[in-house]
Every structure is written in C-alpha cells, then in structure tokens.
C-alpha cells in the first residue's frame, strides 16, 4: 500500500514542494494536520506511520491536491503555491457519476480517480498554467 501511495505522491508533487496531509479519525474531535515537505512524507518511517493509521482503521488520510507555499501553516487558498490539479469530490452515486465522466465529451479524461470508500471518489485532472481564479 505505501508503495502505491508514494508513487502517487511522486507523480503529483515535485521533491521540494510542501504538501498538506490530513488525518481524520472517527473518534477525534478535530483532524490532525501535517504540512511538510514531500521528502518527509516519503521517508519510510513517515509512510509506515500513515500506513499504520490507514490499515488499522484509525484514520482517513487526505492529501491536498495542490502544493502549498513553503512555510505555510494552513490549507487556505492563500497558501496554495500553484494550481496543479483540479479535483471533484463524488460522495453520492459514485459509480454512476464516474461512468458518466468517462463517457462525457465535455471534460477531458481524468488523470486519476481515487476510490476513497465504497461508491465515493476523488477525481483529479492534472493542469498546467492555471491561475487560482480559473480553478
């Protein structure tokens, strides 16, 4: 599992970029957020910790779709360094909506489709030369 996650992260972010990782536990009042350089996330100890949290059902793990400015402490739109991905969160009728996206002539094929839980998906399109207002 951690090899798949590491490969995905390497495709989405450059080695020196800052990423936001969010762990949402079912039993916690507030999510745990880590804003770190990609190199730190890819370290074996860090990946092992995330894998443990994921495999033992303790946390749902999310990664922000776009890199943050170095030194950021939040995941706000002002902290986004560049628009790298457009994303769509599908929480209802997921299988039918993903099939409709695949058949659509109105949008390009997604770069990645992540199954976040049964029938729920995150859809990502890799983009270039997008400014934040266009997103």
């Amino acid at each position: 599992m951690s090899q798949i996650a590491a490969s995905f992260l390497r495709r989405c972010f450059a080695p020196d970029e800052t990423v936001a990782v969010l762990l949402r536990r079912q039993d916690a009042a507030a999510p745990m957020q880590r804003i770190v350089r990609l190199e730190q996330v890819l370290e074996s100890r860090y990946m092992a910790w995330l894998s443990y949290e994921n495999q033992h059902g303790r946390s749902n793990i999310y990664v922000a779709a776009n890199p943050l400015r170095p030194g950021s402490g939040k995941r706000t739109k002002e902290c986004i360094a560049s628009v790298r991905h457009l994303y769509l969160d599908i929480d209802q009728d997921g299988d039918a909506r993903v099939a409709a996206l695949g058949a659509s002539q109105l949008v390009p094929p997604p770069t990645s489709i992540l199954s976040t839980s049964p029938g729920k998906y995150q859809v990502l399109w890799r983009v270039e030369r997008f400014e934040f207002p266009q997103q």
Side-chain angles (χ1 to χ4, degrees), residues 2-135:
S2 61
Q3 293 291 11
I4 295 169
S7 176
F8 175 77
L9 290 169
R10 283 187 189 100
R11 283 194 323 266
C12 292
F13 300 100
D16 61 339
E17 289 184 319
T18 301
V19 299
V21 179
L22 184 83
L23 288 80
R24 186 177 304 274
R25 288 188 174 175
Q26 301 298 334
D27 60 350
M32 184 180 350
Q33 176 175 274
R34 298 289 185 262
I35 297 177
V36 296
R37 306 291 276 182
L38 179 64
E39 295 94 346
Q40 182 177 347
V41 176
L42 295 174
E43 290 175 1
S44 59
R45 286 186 62 179
Y46 206 96
M47 291 300 288
W49 170 62
L50 291 174
S51 183
Y52 178 85
E53 290 288 325
N54 186 49
Q55 289 176 2
H56 290 84
R58 294 172 49 147
S59 298
N60 292 320
I61 301 171
Y62 303 91
V63 177
N66 294 303
L68 301 180
R69 296 180 193 284
S72 295
K74 302 177 187 177
R75 292 177 296 118
T76 62
K77 58 185 169 186
E78 293 80 23
C79 294
I80 294 175
S82 64
V83 177
R84 180 85 43 76
H85 295 95
L86 302 179
Y87 63 93
L88 178 63
D89 192 17
I90 300 176
D91 287 333
Q92 295 179 351
D93 303 320
D95 296 328
R97 291 180 182 202
V98 167
L101 274 175
S104 175
Q105 299 297 312
L106 300 175
V107 295
T111 305
S112 299
I113 300 175
L114 306 169
S115 174
T116 56
S117 59
K120 296 184 179 186
Y121 299 92
Q122 293 275 323
V123 182
L124 296 167
W125 287 269
R126 178 84 178 220
V127 296
E128 295 178 7
R129 297 182 299 277
F130 256 71
E131 297 298 324
F132 192 80
Q134 290 175 293
Q135 178 180 309

